[in-house]
Amino acid sequence: MSVSVRVIPCLDVDAGRVVKGVNFENLRDAGDPVELARRYDAEGADEITFLDVSASSGNRETTYDVVRRTAEEVFVPLTVGGGVRSVEDVDRLLRAGADKVGVNTAAIARPELLSEIADRFGSQVLVVSVDARRCPDGTVTDSGFEVTTHGGRRGTGLDAVAWAARAAELGAGEVLLNSMDADGTNAGFDLEMLSDVRSLVAVPLIASGGAGTAHHFTEAALAGADAVLAASVFHFGTLTINEVKDDMRRAGLAVR
């Protein structure tokens, strides 16, 4: 029995509103997160991901409130990421109603954080988000892909494929692989990067960044993604979740 490919709308939340831009710039308002989450739940989303893109900790309480209100309204798993820096942050998000928590920058600074979270809550709650780009001139990694931070604006010199594999070894239950080059462009997922990570990582792999057509999602699943994630194509009505699932079914993929 093959595992069903999950389709996951992603809500980038800034100060309590959903926003979306291209390559994390020129953000525009896309609505109320609780309303959008409710709509996606009704439309057949398999999970919903919230990313708190307002880096300032002053907006933290807003995020907990959004998570609490959403958890009361939707019945699919809810993953929340953005600004998670400690085991305590994970604990608070889980108590607010998150099912899984995404960790990114803090794990790059201190990889042991992944083991601490997995040891305390179990790997199933821990999603490592890898914001990766093709290496710009002057940066060399073995895979040709580099981990970035700060919404893709800052390179780390870390090999993205090796980091994804290490994160899984340290306890991540899933890897969310986001192509910063493709983000918001609607030109398709970075299939080469996906298949490179797939070759080294056994835990579930979520493809993110670049979806523009229903078939882009199918291509990502065929390249090895266990789940496919997108934002603007769903928020602005370009595609429905059913259209994505129908395309996958036509390609012989199992969907829920």
Side-chain angles (χ1 to χ4, degrees), residues 2-148:
S2 59
V3 176
S4 299
V5 181
R6 290 169 287 145
V7 179
I8 307 173
C10 179
L11 311 184
D12 294 322
V13 180
D14 184 3
R17 297 290 291 177
V18 177
V19 295
K20 192 59 200 156
V22 177
N23 302 125
F24 286 76
E25 293 178 355
N26 303 319
L27 299 179
R28 56 181 172 147
D29 189 278
D32 175 69
V34 182
E35 281 175 27
L36 272 175
R38 192 190 297 126
R39 188 183 100 198
Y40 292 137
D41 187 22
E43 286 178 4
D46 298 303
E47 294 182 15
I48 292 167
T49 291
F50 273 1
L51 290 180
D52 179 1
V53 297
S54 39
S56 87
S57 52
N59 286 309
R60 265 280 160 238
E61 216 31 73
T62 306
T63 303
Y64 293 124
D65 179 57
V66 168
V67 172
R68 274 190 286 269
R69 290 188 294 127
T70 305
E72 288 167 5
E73 298 276 347
V74 307
F75 303 99
V76 294
L78 188 57
T79 300
V80 184
V84 176
R85 297 184 181 89
S86 66
V87 170
E88 290 68 35
D89 288 342
V90 175
D91 188 51
R92 286 194 70 186
L93 284 167
L94 294 175
R95 288 175 189 275
D99 298 282
K100 306 178 198 176
V101 174
V103 181
N104 184 348
T105 309
I108 296 167
R110 202 173 68 81
E112 316 81 81
L113 177 62
L114 299 177
S115 302
E116 292 165 9
I117 294 168
D119 288 348
R120 175 144 169 207
F121 305 106
S123 289
Q124 77 283 350
V125 308
L126 177 56
V127 180
V128 164
S129 186
V130 180
D131 289 343
R133 67 179 176 192
R134 289 172 179 267
C135 288
D137 290 345
T139 309
V140 181
T141 67
D142 288 345
S143 69
F145 299 104
E146 176 191 24
V147 176
T148 67

Side-chain angles (χ1 to χ4, degrees), residues 158-232:
L158 263 183
D159 186 305
V161 177
W163 169 240
R166 184 167 179 222
E169 285 168 9
L170 287 168
E174 293 186 75
V175 172
L176 168 56
L177 182 65
N178 190 24
S179 166
M180 305 311 291
D181 301 314
D183 177 76
T185 63
N186 306 132
F189 294 93
D190 190 326
L191 303 178
E192 183 188 355
M193 184 163 74
L194 263 176
S195 55
D196 286 358
V197 172
R198 174 79 292 162
S199 68
L200 286 184
V201 172
V203 300
L205 180 59
I206 307 164
S208 168
T213 69
H215 198 63
H216 286 155
F217 293 89
T218 301
E219 290 173 342
L222 293 170
D226 301 279
V228 285
L229 178 144
S232 44

